[in-house]
Amino acid sequence: MGENILKKYDPTATLHEIEDKFQMFQILNEEGQIVNEEANPNLSDDELVELMTRMVYTRILDQRSISLNRQGRLGFYAPTAGQEASQLASHFALEKEDWILPGYRDVPQIVWHGLPLAKAFLFSRGHFMGNQVPEGVNILAPQIIIGAQYIQTAGVALGLQKRGKKSVAITYTGDGGSSQGDFYEGINFAGAFKSPAIFIVQNNQYAISTPRELQTAAKTIAQKGIAAGIPSVLVDGMDPLAVYVATRDARERAVNGEGPTLIETMCYRYGPHTMAGDDPTRYRTADTDNEWAAKDPIVRFRKYLEAKGLWTEAKEEEVIERAKEEIKEAIKEADQAPKQKVTELIENMHAGEMPYNLQEQYAIYKEKESK
Amino acid sequence: MAQMTMIQAITDALRCELRDDENVLVFGEDVGVNGGVFRATEGLQKEFGVDRVFDTPLAESGIGGLAIGLALEGFRPVPEIQFFGFVYEVMDSISGQLARLRYRSGGTYNAPVTIRSPFGGGVHTPEMHSDSLEGLMAQQPGLKVVIPSTPYDAKGLLISSIRDNDPVIFLEHLKLYRSFREEVPEEAYTIPLGKADVKREGKDLSIFAYGLMVHESLKAAEELEKEGYSVEVVDLRTIQPLDIETIIASVEKTNRAIVVQEAQKQAGIAANVVAEITDRAILSLEAPVLRVAAPDTIYPFPQAEGVWLPTYKDVMETAKKVLTF
């Protein structure tokens, strides 16, 4: 009998040693105080106000979307409240030329990147015009197949690299999504090609009802970057400044040709998984909800800005009113979208000539539609 | 003109397109310095550089994602899946994503991707190398599926596939890679997708076939001629969409038809051809349209290929049933 190699090399100790290195990066604590002055991005006053404005606006967008969904005026909707720092501060670090490959919960990022709100609502309802992205807005429609956006991001990033562009492709998934094969293949491909990609895992603690602990024995999701040989960081996803800095630095690495980064944002969704009947009280306790409510990204950012004299209740009211007004207008605009026709769906299938089967079916539906 | 095998014609088509369009990218497992496991990409990396022809990690799904992402940045990707039995790993990227890219973006984005992949039996490959899975692809709206049977067709169809602005699945039969040579023009030429080709004219029976089965059908037709039957052999070349015009014209001439495929009877696309014929030309038929196909089992262990794969003898047997119905 030889010696037990697990004892000799003690891989468990190595694992714990590595895991312990993934400490959560934070700049702003729950009280809105800077706890990491060295890392403070020192955004200008205007930038700070703009980021807060977007976060407040998006919280209202979430509240209104849930309400519009309940009234039957929206369809598929995945709530975002609680993830404003994770979604919007990461987006705030991007440039217009950057590509976004969102998951189904990541509508806010593509809206702030240039997708008109009325189109976002049409996406929710299930209308192809919602996915007709305006020219020059580098986004894809929200991806429903969890993980697919990751491998596609590796491709877009390689494309940007081959074109010699100084921009990045960014993508988002959730904690559950990190269990998918495409998650791993995506980060591994981008690593192997050293492509300018930013992979964000928004760890909101639950994949529908399945807690994060059931996804993996790994202590952090960030450490999964090690498997791809790429740097990764664990960030307080309820802290806008920390998320901004992590994304900004990952972007800088990427455009300098140093390859991709994986960012885990530790956050929480206050609402259900989607509005299609999920009931979080079945799998979450009020205690957990309250614990995370205390970490609210808007609350802590508000405190920080108020202390700097950059934010007031009146200012917040103004943003809320503007959001409500624009949402009302956008819903009206979405209402005005013409009903979809089968002939239009057929027209969107192929760039080239229609195959015979679609030509025949086009003629049949054209006839039906003319009646 | 030069005498080329099908694999040489394929390499030649790739070379033409890499030369003519700087957006064309060839990538996959071992397609670079190695020149591909069947030498389909031989010499291309040397000629066009590692930026245009490159190897990837061993992950079909990732290759599919890479192709979609590169297409979004304006490239014209020509990825390879080493054997089509491995398509299950990349089904989402092909059927769930690529095929839908244009539609789901309301026409905002195109997907000019050609996926090349070998398949087909008769060369004693290990498990999951030879399965005929074209039927899966043919069921996915948004895809075109091309299967050449000759060097000449392979080159013209591959150039057309690469130039097409929609996704094309280009399936290359392993047994046809080097089984014969024929005259192939050295310059670029195209063969329209969705167009069948009458490989042999006849008036008593139409045989519709694709891939290796075209050659088994031609052999059967020769044998049947010795028995006094005039048999037409139509090579479908594109199995989705079908060339309805050519198929129906042939049936209306001969009034009898069979459909020949290497795939299992419950798979492939023969049932689709039969349905189209009965929909459109039932009054021309003197007999039911019968199918030649493999048994509905998993693809055989290599030593059983000889008794399992359809051959010209099966084609003759079914042809006679229809001719003497």
Side-chain angles (χ1 to χ4, degrees):
Chain A
M1 293 289 278
E3 60 187 318
N4 183 326
I5 61 146
L6 292 185
K7 282 184 182 153
K8 183 175 178 192
Y9 298 107
D10 204 353
T12 311
T14 308
L15 173 70
H16 291 153
E17 220 171 278
I18 291 168
E19 282 183 332
D20 288 345
K21 295 207 165 149
F22 284 90
Q23 295 298 317
M24 193 156 79
F25 172 60
Q26 191 189 54
I27 295 176
L28 201 59
N29 71 9
E30 292 171 28
E31 301 310 315
Q33 297 154 336
I34 299 285
V35 293
N36 189 347
E37 188 54 59
E38 196 189 352
N40 188 346
N42 291 316
L43 292 169
S44 71
D45 290 355
D46 284 352
E47 287 171 322
L48 289 168
V49 168
E50 174 62 19
L51 180 52
M52 180 63 177
T53 299
R54 291 183 185 190
M55 287 170 53
V56 170
Y57 191 112
T58 304
R59 179 67 62 89
I60 297 304
L61 178 59
D62 183 69
Q63 289 168 1
R64 293 297 304 138
S65 296
I66 287 171
S67 162
L68 288 161
N69 168 281
R70 291 197 171 124
Q71 296 163 31
R73 298 189 71 195
L74 282 182
F76 172 77
Y77 182 68
T80 59
Q83 298 189 203
E84 290 85 358
S86 175
Q87 295 183 319
L88 303 171
S90 60
H91 176 261
F92 202 64
L94 303 181
E95 299 292 335
K96 190 182 182 307
E97 295 72 29
D98 295 336
W99 269 92
I100 304 178
L101 287 87
Y104 53 79
R105 201 181 301 282
D106 303 309
V107 173
Q109 295 95 309
I110 57 175
V111 166
W112 289 108
H113 211 54
L115 183 73
L117 202 47
K119 282 187 178 287
F121 290 152
L122 286 170
F123 159 75
S124 164
R125 289 177 174 180
H127 194 303
F128 73 84
M129 289 173 88
N131 291 358
Q132 285 180 324
V133 176
E135 178 94 36
V137 177
N138 291 341
I139 59 166
L140 277 186
Q143 178 58 251
I144 299 296
I145 301 302
I146 295 170
Q149 70 272 33
Y150 261 54
I151 48 175
Q152 292 172 18
T153 294
V156 173
L158 182 61
L160 294 169
Q161 185 181 349
K162 285 187 177 295
R163 297 285 186 214
K165 293 182 182 171
K166 288 277 174 203
S167 45
V168 303
I170 190 170
T171 190
Y172 298 82
T173 193
D175 41 307
S178 69
S179 300
Q180 288 279 1
D182 282 350
F183 164 84
Y184 170 69
E185 290 187 28
I187 62 176
N188 189 57
F189 268 58
F193 290 114
K194 226 178 180 184
S195 300
I198 303 173
F199 296 100
I200 295 194
V201 177
Q202 300 186 83
N203 174 3
N204 66 15
Q205 317 304 321
Y206 287 88
I208 307 189
S209 65
T210 307
R212 144 75 182 82
E213 291 69 31
L214 270 179
Q215 297 297 338
T216 174
K219 193 170 152 194
T220 68
I221 292 173
Q223 74 196 66
K224 290 182 178 241
I226 292 172
I230 67 170
S232 44
V233 283
L234 172 61
V235 177
D236 180 352
M238 307 299 259
D239 170 359
L241 297 180
V243 172
Y244 171 81
V245 165
T247 316
R248 179 201 67 188
D249 292 354
R251 190 180 185 283
E252 191 182 308
R253 280 194 73 240
V255 296
N256 287 338
E258 294 167 57
T261 306
L262 178 68
I263 300 171
E264 175 185 2
T265 62
M266 189 70 87
C267 58
Y268 201 69
R269 65 166 151 84
Y270 296 146
H273 162 67
T274 66
M275 294 305 292
D278 176 45
D279 172 13
T281 62
R282 292 170 75 107
Y283 53 86
R284 270 188 343 213
T285 63
D287 281 355
T288 316
D289 283 354
N290 291 337
E291 188 191 315
W292 282 94
K295 299 179 198 276
D296 193 312
I298 291 179
V299 172
R300 76 171 79 172
F301 205 36
R302 184 191 291 129
K303 284 181 185 163
Y304 174 63
L305 294 191
E306 280 173 350
K308 284 174 85 82
L310 293 173
W311 197 256
T312 59
E313 212 178 312
K315 172 85 187 152
E316 188 155 328
E317 267 316 305
E318 193 186 302
V319 175
I320 291 170
E321 284 317 305
R322 178 161 67 84
K324 286 181 176 168
E325 194 51 40
E326 288 179 6
I327 290 164
K328 202 158 54 172
E329 285 306 308
I331 274 287
K332 266 195 224 159
E333 200 184 323
D335 287 344
Q336 278 153 19
K339 280 191 178 164
Q340 298 168 94
K341 295 177 184 158
V342 174
T343 49
E344 291 172 314
L345 303 181
I346 291 175
E347 281 164 2
N348 289 342
M349 285 295 300
H350 293 276
E353 199 192 340
M354 267 183 212
Y356 84 93
N357 50 329
L358 287 181
Q359 280 182 30
E360 289 183 352
Q361 291 158 27
Y362 189 83
I364 291 166
Y365 281 94
K366 197 80 191 166
E367 171 75 20
K368 282 190 187 184
E369 289 164 6
S370 72
K371 282 177 187 160
Chain B
M1 294 286 243
Q3 287 281 323
M4 289 188 201
T5 60
M6 189 161 101
I7 198 110
Q8 288 169 331
I10 286 166
T11 313
D12 206 44
L14 292 170
R15 185 180 293 112
C16 286
E17 293 312 285
L18 281 161
R19 197 173 43 214
D20 291 352
D21 182 350
E22 61 182 17
N23 288 316
V24 171
L25 300 175
V26 171
F27 54 92
E29 296 157 7
D30 312 295
V31 303
V33 66
N34 190 44
V37 290
F38 296 105
R39 304 285 169 265
T41 52
E42 175 86 24
L44 297 181
Q45 189 181 70
K46 201 169 175 196
E47 188 175 346
F48 297 98
V50 75
D51 263 0
R52 307 282 310 283
V53 180
F54 53 95
D55 291 321
T56 65
L58 200 168
E60 288 75 18
S61 191
I63 291 170
L66 211 60
I68 293 165
L70 287 164
L72 288 169
E73 260 300 307
F75 288 98
R76 196 168 280 275
V78 188
E80 178 182 299
I81 302 299
Q82 202 161 67
F83 292 94
F84 205 56
F86 310 163
V87 72
Y88 293 114
E89 297 284 344
V90 62
M91 277 298 278
D92 180 57
S93 276
I94 297 175
S95 296
Q97 307 289 332
L98 188 57
R100 306 166 68 99
L101 186 62
R102 187 166 200 283
Y103 176 89
R104 80 185 286 264
S105 66
T108 311
Y109 301 123
N110 286 351
V113 175
T114 302
I115 296 178
R116 290 184 42 252
S117 188
F119 79 108
V123 291
H124 298 291
T125 59
E127 206 170 3
M128 293 291 289
H129 284 55
S130 294
D131 295 58
S132 290
L133 302 174
E134 68 279 5
L136 295 175
M137 298 290 109
Q139 289 214 9
Q140 175 57 52
L143 297 179
K144 297 190 184 94
V145 187
V146 175
I147 304 182
S149 70
T150 69
Y152 180 86
D153 285 354
K155 181 171 173 182
L157 288 168
L158 183 52
I159 291 176
S160 294
S161 299
I162 294 172
R163 292 181 186 178
D164 200 281
N165 287 325
D166 297 311
V168 178
I169 310 298
F170 191 87
L171 298 175
E172 305 166 2
H173 199 291
L174 285 165
K175 198 160 183 201
L176 294 175
Y177 266 158
R178 294 185 174 84
S179 60
F180 68 101
R181 287 171 189 275
E182 79 177 353
E183 290 287 322
V184 175
E186 276 163 82
E187 70 281 2
Y189 61 93
T190 57
I191 294 171
L193 305 185
K195 289 281 173 249
D197 184 39
V198 179
K199 290 277 193 272
R200 177 191 172 103
E201 299 221 18
K203 43 189 203 306
D204 299 332
L205 170 77
S206 301
I207 301 182
F208 301 106
Y210 58 96
L212 180 66
M213 291 301 116
V214 171
H215 300 280
E216 295 298 320
S217 300
L218 285 167
K219 195 166 171 188
E222 250 172 64
E223 295 295 319
L224 288 164
E225 193 179 342
K226 291 176 194 162
E227 299 180 27
Y229 297 111
S230 163
V231 175
E232 179 147 305
V233 177
V234 180
D235 180 353
L236 297 175
R237 297 200 294 197
T238 300
I239 60 145
Q240 174 60 41
L242 291 168
D243 180 357
I244 293 298
E245 218 173 301
T246 303
I247 293 169
I248 299 306
S250 180
V251 171
E252 284 175 346
K253 179 174 71 171
T254 63
N255 311 116
R256 292 170 199 268
I258 65 171
V259 187
V260 184
Q261 68 179 20
E262 179 176 327
Q264 294 88 338
K265 197 166 190 178
Q266 70 181 57
I269 55 102
N272 196 18
V273 178
V274 174
E276 293 288 357
I277 293 170
T278 54
D279 274 4
R280 295 161 197 271
I282 196 156
L283 295 179
S284 302
L285 291 174
E286 296 286 345
V289 183
L290 298 187
R291 287 172 282 167
V292 176
D296 286 330
T297 70
I298 301 296
Y299 190 86
F301 294 96
Q303 292 200 332
E305 275 185 333
V307 292
W308 190 91
L309 286 167
T311 70
Y312 77 98
K313 288 180 186 162
D314 301 297
V315 179
M316 284 181 69
E317 197 184 309
T318 305
K320 278 188 189 168
K321 271 190 204 160
V322 171
L323 284 161
T324 60
F325 179 78

